[in-house]
């Protein structure tokens, strides 16, 4: 295998997978999404590695580099932020490589919405609060299908992670407030896992002002839902009255 798409993780260079880092160490050619990937992730690259920042490149230019590297029998690492399957514009690269008959593998990464939960020290799926995680964004230059408009998804009052939208925080709040109660907790984490991470927590009523005051206007995750601050039922997994595959009940009931 010569071409690897790699999820670089959310920022902290130790949050890339072992597998992803092994490929970066060996790669002859590295193409990374410079607008978001922490360049420190590439510190382990070999001295002679040819490194390209795709921030200023077109799809065709990226493909050209991959194609000529493969022709020269070189190992290529195409590095995306977080996990490449989310807002990574990876499908068009996959399809082009398939068409050209170039084989590749994808190594997943830690998405920023997961680093956000870690930073906030919260679980998205609390029993009796929400068992559903919605990953979405507000419409920008990329449109969002009508059935997935934020106020429609909000009907579920599920835990939600909203990417690519912090610069429109007022619009986000307006859409959410159609369905979530005004005192619903909401948090914004900028550059989760980076040394200069910032976070603010509030309610739908207070968050927009807090985000402005903290001067957060990009590279931030918005998460909303009662999972942030609520009473909940203890998980059945660790309940002494509940038995499962790996443990029998201490009290006999299921
Ligand atoms: N594939 C990436 C997302 C790329 S889209 C992933 O899985 O995380 C870029 C958006 O991701 C940003 O606008 C922001 O909403 C979010 N993002 C990326 N890195 C982040 C980080 N370290 N902290 C918070 N949000 C981040």
């Amino acid at each position: 295998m010569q071409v690897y798409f790699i999820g670089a993780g959310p920022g902290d260079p130790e949050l890339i997978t072992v597998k992803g880092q092994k490929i970066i160490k060996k790669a002859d050619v590295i193409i990374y999404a410079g607008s978001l990937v922490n360049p420190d992730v590439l510190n382990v690259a070999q001295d002679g590695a040819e490194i390209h920042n795709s921030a200023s490149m077109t799809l065709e230019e990226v493909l050209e580099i991959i194609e000529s590297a493969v022709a020269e029998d070189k190992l290529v690492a195409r590095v995306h932020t977080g996990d490449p399957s989310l807002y990574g514009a990876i499908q068009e690269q996959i399809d082009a490589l398939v068409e050209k008959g170039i084989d590749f593998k994808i190594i997943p990464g830690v998405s920023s919405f997961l680093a956000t939960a870690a930073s906030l020290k919260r679980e998205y799926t609390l029993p009796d609060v929400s068992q559903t995680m919605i990953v979405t964004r507000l419409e920008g230059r990329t449109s969002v299908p009508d059935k997935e408009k934020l106020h429609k998804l909000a009907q579920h009052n599920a835990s939600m992670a909203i990417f690519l939208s912090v610069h429109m925080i007022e619009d986000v709040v307006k859409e959410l407030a159609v369905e979530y109660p005004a005192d619903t907790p909401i948090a914004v984490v900028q550059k989760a896992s980076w040394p200069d991470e910032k976070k603010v927590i509030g309610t739908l009523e207070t968050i927009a002002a807090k985000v402005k005051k903290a001067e957060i206007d990009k590279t931030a995750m918005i998460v909303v839902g009662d999972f942030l601050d609520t009473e909940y039922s203890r998980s059945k997994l660790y309940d002494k009255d509940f038995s499962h595959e790996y443990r029998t009940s201490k009290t006999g009931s299921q």
Side-chain angles (χ1 to χ4, degrees):
M1 194 65 52
Q2 283 177 258
V3 180
Y4 288 84
F5 290 93
I6 300 171
D12 179 343
E14 295 192 339
L15 286 178
I16 189 170
T17 62
V18 174
K19 209 169 199 149
Q21 191 178 60
K22 273 188 186 160
I23 299 295
I24 290 183
K25 280 183 182 160
K26 285 196 296 189
D28 303 301
V29 176
I30 298 173
I31 311 166
Y32 75 108
S35 52
L36 281 171
V37 171
N38 186 346
D40 287 351
V41 166
L42 310 181
N43 285 349
V44 298
Q46 6 174 14
D47 279 346
E50 181 188 316
I51 298 180
H52 301 268
N53 180 349
S54 63
S56 57
M57 290 162 61
T58 61
L59 171 65
E60 287 68 30
E61 286 166 338
V62 170
L63 291 170
E64 225 173 84
I65 291 172
I66 295 177
E67 217 176 344
S68 56
V70 168
E72 290 170 34
D73 220 21
K74 290 179 172 167
L75 180 66
V76 182
R78 172 70 173 116
V79 186
H80 286 265
T81 181
D83 183 86
S85 70
L86 293 170
Y87 312 107
I90 189 191
Q91 193 65 50
E92 57 202 37
Q93 300 173 66
I94 290 173
D95 293 346
L97 292 190
V98 168
E99 197 172 300
K100 291 178 196 296
I102 296 174
D103 212 2
F104 58 88
K105 271 212 166 95
I106 302 175
I107 302 173
V110 176
S111 176
S112 55
F113 82 94
L114 302 172
T116 295
S119 165
L120 294 167
K121 301 195 168 76
R122 301 303 301 175
E123 172 175 349
Y124 288 130
T125 54
L126 291 177
D128 294 338
V129 176
S130 176
Q131 290 291 292
T132 302
M133 183 70 208
I134 295 176
V135 167
T136 189
R137 62 171 297 171
L138 212 59
E139 187 157 299
R141 267 184 307 174
T142 306
S143 66
V144 170
D146 189 55
K147 285 183 173 168
E148 297 174 18
K149 292 288 187 273
L150 204 50
H151 67 272
K152 293 190 178 167
L153 299 179
Q155 285 175 10
H156 304 283
N157 280 208
S159 304
M160 203 189 289
I162 305 164
F163 285 65
L164 294 158
S165 306
V166 79
H167 59 291
M168 301 180 279
I169 185 73
E170 282 99 352
D171 297 332
V172 169
V173 167
K174 216 181 287 167
E175 293 266 311
L176 293 175
V178 174
E179 299 286 349
Y180 288 85
D183 61 354
T184 303
I186 176 167
V188 173
V189 180
Q190 182 177 46
K191 297 186 87 176
S193 87
W194 290 68
D196 53 345
E197 171 184 307
K198 269 192 215 170
K199 57 188 156 189
V200 290
I201 303 178
T203 64
L204 287 179
E205 281 172 321
T206 63
I207 198 71
K210 288 188 176 189
V211 165
K212 292 277 168 307
K213 188 154 177 247
E215 294 179 350
I216 298 174
D217 59 1
K218 61 174 190 216
T219 327
M221 185 63 53
I222 305 168
V223 289
V224 62
D226 281 335
F227 78 92
L228 280 165
D229 173 24
T230 192
E231 294 290 313
Y232 63 94
S233 307
R234 292 254 317 264
S235 164
K236 296 277 184 259
L237 204 56
Y238 299 107
D239 185 339
K240 63 178 173 16
D241 296 334
F242 183 77
S243 61
H244 58 68
E245 198 183 347
Y246 301 104
R247 196 189 61 217
T248 49
S249 159
K250 300 241 167 26
T251 58
S253 66
Q254 288 271 317

